[in-house]
Amino acid sequence: KAGVTQTPRYLIKTRGQQVTLSCSPISGHRSVSWYQQTPGQGLQFLFEYFSETQRNKGNFPGRFSGRQFSNSRSEMNVSTLELGDSALYLCASSFGHQGFAEAFFGQGTRLTVV
Amino acid sequence: GENVEQHPSTLSVQEGDSAVIKCTYSDSASNYFPWYKQELGKGPQLIIDIRSNVGEKKDQRIAVTLNKTAKHFSLHITETQPEDSAVYFCAASKNTGNQFYFGTGTSLTVIP
């Protein structure tokens, strides 16, 4: 069974640009969550999508957005990039039903903003 | 919101010894507590979890305990091996989706 796939693995962008990251969840999983990981702030929740609807949202500015498609694949977009957006962006997938569904992470996309 | 604290931030043990990592949480509504292991260049890997209706869970050399009254939970690794060296994260969730609150991580080094 394939795991969570995130593309691309590495990205270098310039301040002010925008970027789109992609996540393909484990087959059958309908929930996709996104996290930002930095040395200073650790793992912070961005948002969660379930059946194409945003179910939860973390405390990030509106420059961070996401969406989920009917096949459960998800994308997140960051507009007007800032140096502080440099981080490892992680996607996690789970069945997403009420009832303690385990979440499995992808390897992440390493974003560097210069 | 939920606040998860994790200690220690670094831990070195001799191969074969035990390692214990402790976490506390603040929101009594949290009811699911997973532990993740993250190796360099990889995403976090779920290694064990515990639900609030259980006090202890064991899987081979790994065990987790939960004290709901005191709002703390711990990871125990016995007979440590060099391949256990990694960063370990605890997390808490309220089962209202997959929004996890993570601890700040423990860098475990197992010395051969």
Side-chain angles (χ1 to χ4, degrees), chain B residues 37-45 82-87:
Chain B
K37 173 184 180 183
Q38 188 173 27
E39 297 174 315
L40 205 60
K42 297 185 177 180
Q45 174 194 3
E83 51 265 38
D84 294 330
S85 296
V87 179

Side-chain angles (χ1 to χ4, degrees), chain B residues 74-94:
Chain B
S74 301
L75 177 72
H76 305 251
I77 306 174
T78 58
E79 301 172 20
T80 52
Q81 301 167 3
E83 51 265 38
D84 294 330
S85 296
V87 179
Y88 291 80
F89 292 94
C90 62
S93 165
K94 285 188 274 193

Side-chain angles (χ1 to χ4, degrees), chain B residues 22-25 65-74:
Chain B
K22 298 183 179 182
C23 289
T24 60
Y25 62 99
T65 59
L66 171 66
N67 183 326
K68 283 195 317 183
T69 304
K71 296 200 197 77
H72 67 69
F73 56 113
S74 301

Side-chain angles (χ1 to χ4, degrees), chain A residues 13-94:
Chain A
K13 290 287 187 179
T14 304
R15 251 184 320 175
Q17 286 186 314
Q18 74 162 16
V19 67
T20 299
L21 313 181
S22 179
C23 172
S24 293
I26 292 170
S27 178
H29 284 191
R30 292 163 61 190
S31 171
V32 173
S33 301
W34 289 89
Y35 290 82
Q36 182 195 65
Q37 186 175 27
T38 60
Q41 299 297 319
L43 279 149
Q44 292 190 291
F45 173 77
L46 280 154
F47 27 67
E48 180 203 3
Y49 287 87
F50 178 77
S51 293
E52 302 179 66
T53 301
Q54 188 180 86
R55 189 155 69 174
N56 288 304
K57 189 177 191 307
N59 190 26
F60 277 82
R63 300 185 296 107
F64 292 81
S65 63
R67 59 177 175 168
Q68 187 179 34
F69 302 95
S70 58
N71 61 356
S72 294
R73 190 177 71 85
S74 177
E75 289 181 347
M76 69 162 280
N77 184 77
V78 188
S79 62
T80 320
L81 284 165
E82 301 176 0
L83 295 178
D85 297 333
S86 295
L88 180 66
Y89 289 88
L90 292 159
C91 159
S93 85
S94 73

Side-chain angles (χ1 to χ4, degrees), chain A residues 9 31 33 35 37 43 45 48 55-57 88 90 94 96-107, chain B residues 31-32 36 38 41-46 49 51-53 89 94-104:
Chain A
R9 289 291 312 278
S31 171
S33 301
Y35 290 82
Q37 186 175 27
L43 279 149
F45 173 77
E48 180 203 3
R55 189 155 69 174
N56 288 304
K57 189 177 191 307
L88 180 66
L90 292 159
S94 73
H97 296 289
Q98 292 285 346
F100 317 114
E102 297 91 341
F104 300 91
F105 282 85
Q107 295 210 47
Chain B
N31 55 16
Y32 175 61
Y36 287 88
Q38 188 173 27
K42 297 185 177 180
Q45 174 194 3
L46 178 67
D49 57 14
R51 288 120 169 90
S52 59
N53 58 346
F89 292 94
K94 285 188 274 193
N95 190 38
T96 54
N98 288 323
Q99 180 172 0
F100 295 99
Y101 297 89
F102 283 88
T104 48

